Amino acid sequence: MPCSVVLGSQWGDEGKGKIVDMYAPSADIVMRYQGGHNAGHTVLADGHSYILHLVPSGIIHKGVANLIGNGVVVDPKALLKEIEGLENRGISFKDRFFISDRAHLIFPYHVLIDRLKEDRAGSAKIGTTGLGIGPAYTDKANRSGLRVGDLLDRAALETVVRANVVQYNILAENLYNSETIDAQGIIDEYYEYGKRLRPFIADTVYLANAALKGGKKLLLEGAQGAMLDLDFGTYPFVTSSNGSSGGAAVGSGVSPMHFSKIIGVAKAYCTRVGSGAFPTELKGELGDALRAAGKEFGATTGRARRCGYIDLAALKYAVTVNGITHIALTKLDVLSGIDEIKVCTAYRIDGEESARFPAAVSTLEKAEPVYKSFKGWTQPLTGIARFDDLPKQARDYLAFIKEFLDVEYCVISLGSDRNQSIVLSEAFNDN
Ligand code: GDP
Ligand code: IMO
Ligand code: MG
């Protein structure tokens, strides 16, 4: 039963959208398993650019079904807007797009608290997307959340929204000295969203497992990345869900027994949006040059991404935690023209060298990267179709990374378009 996972193995924005879109024609179903509209997955198909936030990155391919799994948090207003925008561009959702009835909902009070908490934190802020992601997952874990299926149940909406609004208004008023929220407006608004979303609401656990049983192929799409994972990332500077492969099972209802390939998408360098430790960050000219060459501005918030050298100590940890079998290495083309390219292989912390990724962010903040240097190349790479046609310096760089991580490459990506890739193996074991 072929099911493969595509996940982020750094701090997000590795190019998951491109890789999922590229592999989607070999799948029957693409399913997002966690995160919310904090994600921004860019797909460039035949000159047309799509930025997907909640809708899975298989949607551009007509013959592929797309599911939003139970592990995702859904802001129905944002989802409806995204669906409408894509429909206006000729993409059909009818009978090929379904949302889990178990997926939790984001409400305006989650957005309000996310923003108030960040404002109050000042320089200690996480730098969240401000979209209510953390508070929505908090309500889920607190068993006070509402799920997509509840949108169809006016009584459930009434009871839980009213109870939550009482609590959130106490917080807003007394802790943050802020405006309060009106429960009735939310209940009416969300019941209307429910009516519009009704045709898409389904038990995706059964849909996905029945499809697998029937021999169909399923691609599970993660959001964010290993270093933003709630358990394994640079806590507390993380998101509130598990983008790791364990999260793929929990967020889809598909047993890890069915996973064949676990594809970790990694940039040939590193970026990070928001606050938190980033040992290989380049703050000077080279960082600016990478940002310009790689167009490193957030797909969701437009924020400038912090840029740095590839961190193999962190990436090796991501490979271990996720069981990554294949790396899809993206944006190698962006490194053209850099004289010397460095690779972090370990950290020096309090005078001691260690290849381990530390748990405490205060330790990671002290970490000085131990670098190995590589000679760069000058020629542009976009357009190269065969691995052997890459410049020798680029092949040396790739060979070192592969050996260090002890994984295979499945794709070397050399541009944003789905065709600008060297494909070394397919998404599923049997093709
Ligand atoms: P995601 O969140 O992991 O899907 O990544 P984003 O879409 O947020 O950011 C990746 C950006 O890099 C997008 O603008 C992509 O179009 C672009 N991209 C993906 N792969 C490549 C590549 O190999 N080369 C270049 N130059 N751009 C790429
Ligand atoms: P994709 O799927 C990059 C970051 C935010 C912030 C932290 C917590 O496109 O790779 P949140 O709003 O989730 O509570 O913010 O996580 N973040 C991302 N960074 N790519 C993403 O998604 C991200 N989603 C959240 O910038 O640092
Ligand atoms: Mg992104």
Side-chain angles (χ1 to χ4, degrees), residues 12-14 16 39-42 299-300 305:
D13 303 328
E14 300 90 348
K16 297 176 289 294
H41 295 183
T42 313
T300 298
R305 295 174 181 151

Side-chain angles (χ1 to χ4, degrees), residues 11-13 16 38-41 127-129 223-224 228 238-239 273 303:
W11 277 277
D13 303 328
K16 297 176 289 294
N38 50 349
H41 295 183
T128 71
T129 56
Q224 291 83 51
L228 291 172
V238 291
T239 192
V273 208
R303 290 179 291 177

Side-chain angles (χ1 to χ4, degrees), residues 32 34-40 53-54 71-76 78 104-115 117-118 126-142 145 168 223-224 228 230 238-243 300-301 303:
R32 258 285 296 278
Q34 47 69 239
H37 62 314
N38 50 349
H53 299 288
L54 276 163
V72 174
V73 282
V74 176
D75 180 328
H104 273 255
L105 291 163
I106 299 181
F107 285 90
Y109 43 77
H110 295 135
V111 180
L112 179 68
I113 292 298
D114 191 0
R115 292 181 184 174
K117 190 167 175 251
E118 283 281 274
I126 291 165
T128 71
T129 56
L131 298 173
I133 307 293
Y137 277 116
T138 303
D139 270 352
K140 174 179 177 176
N142 198 29
Y168 280 108
Q224 291 83 51
L228 291 172
L230 180 58
V238 291
T239 192
S240 298
S241 64
N242 294 108
T300 298
T301 58
R303 290 179 291 177

